[in-house]
Amino acid sequence: MDFAQALVHIFDSGGDVGNRGTQGSMLADGDHGRFDTGRSNRTDHTEPKEWRVARSEPNLCVQNSPVAHQRMKRALLVASAGGHWIELCRLEAAFRQWDCQFVSTAGNMAAPLGTRPVLQIKDSSRDNYITMLRSMTQLLRVIRDFRPDLVVSTGAAPGAIALLIGKAIGARTIWIDSIANSEELSLSGRAVRWVADLRLTQWPDLADDRNGISYFGQVL
């Protein structure tokens, strides 16, 4: 099972993040953890009457039925330009059933899937509070307008800001630390500890159950 497939499995499982273990405990043993994507936990699979009516009588107005109000789950995917963006694009297989909005720090970027254009925000770093403030302001607008169910980032600082804002509005959040960080988690990866529902490293030696760092494999 590759990295994207592992994420798909979490989305399809529903429920909570659960056991944040290493690849050996979460994947090989079959306990992949469960990630709450807002799906219903109902065990009664009987089709609602309104759905049967909508299918058998398509011309009948059923605006008040569940069918009329369903929408695809929305995922906001944020990454700085360069390696972070490449790693994020490599995860496109995990989000083919989502309405995705990609955000990056460079212009003229092409989204790996979906029809929404990639939104550009100001790049920022922890050493420049002015650029961080600009990034935060732009991300606040993006998240306010898009209202994501899930926020995902592969780094760097703008992605950490996106997770913070996303968590504040009730979205689920995933941080995927760059493969370049082989000796320790990035500063941004450490900073999002309290706002990331799932933090992933791409190096097995960095996985740490106690600190909530999991390993699913490598994106690249």
Side-chain angles (χ1 to χ4, degrees):
M1 179 179 290
D2 66 21
F3 201 101
Q5 288 174 325
L7 287 180
V8 171
H9 182 90
I10 290 177
F11 300 149
D12 289 343
S13 296
D16 212 349
V17 170
N19 179 25
R20 301 184 179 192
T22 62
Q23 186 183 40
S25 63
M26 292 189 72
L27 300 183
D29 295 338
D31 181 13
H32 302 265
R34 297 193 301 168
F35 190 87
D36 183 5
T37 59
R39 296 187 179 191
S40 171
N41 293 324
R42 61 178 285 173
T43 56
D44 177 10
H45 298 290
T46 304
E47 188 179 46
K49 178 181 177 181
E50 294 90 343
W51 293 25
R52 294 195 302 271
V53 171
R55 188 179 62 252
S56 60
E57 301 183 54
N59 294 324
L60 186 64
C61 180
V62 287
Q63 294 180 354
N64 293 324
S65 74
V67 174
H69 298 285
Q70 279 188 327
R71 68 169 176 86
M72 292 178 67
K73 291 290 182 182
R74 292 180 175 177
L76 184 73
L77 300 107
V78 183
S80 298
H84 297 289
W85 174 256
I86 293 172
E87 291 182 43
L88 187 67
C89 291
R90 294 287 178 89
L91 298 174
E92 59 90 14
F95 299 100
R96 290 173 183 166
Q97 302 303 316
W98 293 69
D99 178 6
C100 296
Q101 175 64 70
F102 286 84
V103 179
S104 189
T105 56
N108 301 317
M109 305 288 273
L113 78 165
T115 59
R116 296 179 182 272
V118 177
L119 300 180
Q120 182 182 1
I121 60 171
K122 183 73 176 179
D123 200 0
S124 60
S125 72
R126 66 183 185 276
D127 301 321
N128 191 323
Y129 293 108
I130 294 177
T131 58
M132 286 189 68
L133 182 59
R134 289 175 180 170
S135 294
M136 179 175 290
T137 301
Q138 292 174 314
L139 284 165
L140 277 167
R141 292 171 182 161
V142 170
I143 292 174
R144 178 198 63 194
D145 295 340
F146 186 59
R147 304 297 297 181
D149 301 290
L150 174 68
V151 179
V152 180
S153 181
T154 52
I161 296 172
L163 260 67
L164 175 64
I165 301 171
K167 190 67 175 179
I169 69 162
R172 303 295 280 178
T173 54
I174 298 179
W175 176 268
I176 302 167
D177 217 49
S178 172
I179 196 171
N181 303 313
S182 59
E183 297 185 359
E184 64 177 353
L185 217 62
S186 66
L187 180 61
S188 294
R190 297 194 298 271
V192 299
R193 176 178 182 179
W194 307 113
V195 297
D197 292 302
L198 183 62
R199 281 194 306 164
L200 299 173
T201 176
Q202 297 186 55
W203 296 96
D205 292 344
L206 297 184
D208 185 348
D209 291 348
R210 183 179 59 185
N211 290 312
I213 307 172
S214 302
Y215 171 73
F216 283 3
Q218 295 183 338
V219 174
L220 300 179

